[in-house]
Amino acid sequence: MTVGKVYRGTKHRKTMVKISEIDAKSMWDNTKQDLPAHQRILSEIVFSKAGSHKVCWICGDEEDIFLISSVMDNGKQMQAIFCENCLMIQENIGLRVVESEKIE
């Protein structure tokens, strides 16, 4: 992953980051065991339809996606990829985002 210029989004100051499909798949492999079963199943369907893990893990959007670091309820930190809309929705229902970077 390489960090680049600063991006100013709707709610956070975000830097730009490049990630590969391998990076995105690795993040998913490291995160999925900590997610509820229904969310794992839905995300796997999204990845299958998109043909990639470098999409929003909730809706499958490929544009305006962000790499986020978040603190889960159990105190564990996770990384995920969300589009701007899903990120905003998740934050509004309590997702604690530590850092977010726009994916180039």
Side-chain angles (χ1 to χ4, degrees):
M1 290 185 255
T2 57
V3 176
K5 60 187 173 187
V6 171
Y7 172 82
R8 300 200 191 295
T10 57
K11 192 170 181 180
H12 299 285
R13 180 179 156 183
K14 302 170 183 92
T15 57
M16 297 286 280
V17 64
K18 280 188 181 183
I19 67 168
S20 68
E21 173 63 23
I22 293 168
D23 293 332
K25 172 85 167 77
S26 178
M27 277 185 278
W28 172 249
D29 290 339
N30 290 331
T31 301
K32 68 182 176 184
Q33 68 272 4
D34 295 316
L35 299 175
H38 71 279
Q39 190 170 350
R40 284 193 307 268
I41 292 167
L42 292 172
S43 292
E44 291 289 350
I45 292 168
V46 164
F47 301 144
S48 176
K49 299 261 186 214
S52 174
H53 287 77
K54 194 176 158 184
V55 297
C56 176
W57 291 5
I58 296 173
C59 73
D61 197 348
E62 297 175 352
E63 295 184 24
D64 292 324
I65 56 176
F66 294 85
L67 171 62
I68 64 120
S69 294
S70 176
V71 178
M72 299 173 67
D73 289 338
N74 64 7
K76 197 170 182 183
Q77 191 162 346
M78 71 160 208
Q79 286 189 305
I81 299 174
F82 293 152
C83 69
E84 190 166 22
N85 289 333
C86 288
L87 175 57
M88 186 172 43
I89 291 166
Q90 292 299 308
E91 284 182 309
N92 286 339
I93 61 172
L95 181 71
R96 293 177 292 174
V97 175
V98 175
E99 183 178 16
S100 59
E101 299 171 292
K102 185 163 180 21
I103 298 173
E104 290 183 359

